[in-house]
Amino acid sequence: IAMIVAPLTNHAIPIEIASLPQPEKGHLEFMGVPIDGNLRAFREYLQIQSGMQKVKNEGKTSILFGKFAGYKDCRIYIFSYSDDLEVWRTGLEIPSTAFETQEEFEAVYTALNNGLTDIYGAPVNGAFRTENGRIELYNATRNDKGKITACIRLSYTDTENEQKKDAAFKSDL
């Protein structure tokens, strides 16, 4: 176990080094971290790397809050599926409140779309396909306690871990 100091709080966090996500061919990455391993280690590693703060857990999903690509008030969702809580997908919301104008909101969406197209090619059935997963980009609305706001959403799904999740689900049928 190692002690790592969280950047915003300066509190030491104990982390099992063996459980940190390790670079591995075959897993899609989110913010430079392979989408693999257990939920706790993935979440803590991402918090340390990005300075995001944990908001809460909802079942087998962790929600973080902070900046992403320089935009404030972003939420990151980390999804797991099994008793060992292996991560299979991450989601990100950049709310319209992070932008000063509707034009800036639309320009960022277009820039993200163009950047993903440059890296992965044109989307197929609404998703950018990679060797080891898919990335979906869309704008959506969010109902937050009765207030409807727009947001940009990104979803990163690791193929190998999604297949494990599906197999675990089917084995219960």
Side-chain angles (χ1 to χ4, degrees), residues 5-97:
V5 177
L8 296 180
T9 64
N10 289 326
H11 290 98
I13 301 171
I15 294 191
E16 294 179 39
I17 297 299
S19 66
L20 286 175
Q22 301 296 316
E24 181 179 316
K25 185 176 180 185
H27 288 285
L28 184 62
E29 292 185 357
F30 176 73
M31 294 179 67
V33 180
I35 300 174
D36 194 29
N38 74 52
L39 178 62
R40 180 175 173 259
F42 185 89
R43 178 190 66 233
E44 289 176 355
Y45 188 76
L46 200 57
Q47 283 179 273
I48 290 165
Q49 179 177 316
S50 68
M52 291 204 165
Q53 298 298 307
K54 178 180 171 188
V55 175
K56 61 182 171 180
N57 283 335
E58 290 183 357
K60 295 177 183 174
T61 302
S62 279
I63 303 171
L64 304 178
F65 186 76
K67 284 186 178 181
F68 176 83
Y71 295 100
K72 62 182 180 175
D73 301 332
C74 297
R75 292 183 186 197
I76 291 186
Y77 299 86
I78 306 168
F79 300 92
S80 60
Y81 70 87
S82 65
D83 290 336
D84 65 0
L85 303 176
E86 186 166 13
V87 173
W88 66 279
R89 180 176 67 180
T90 62
L92 164 74
E93 285 184 354
I94 305 172
S96 61
T97 56

Side-chain angles (χ1 to χ4, degrees), residues 155-166:
S155 173
Y156 290 69
T157 304
D158 181 79
T159 299
E160 181 180 329
N161 290 343
E162 181 181 39
Q163 290 169 349
K164 289 179 187 177
K165 173 197 64 86
D166 292 345

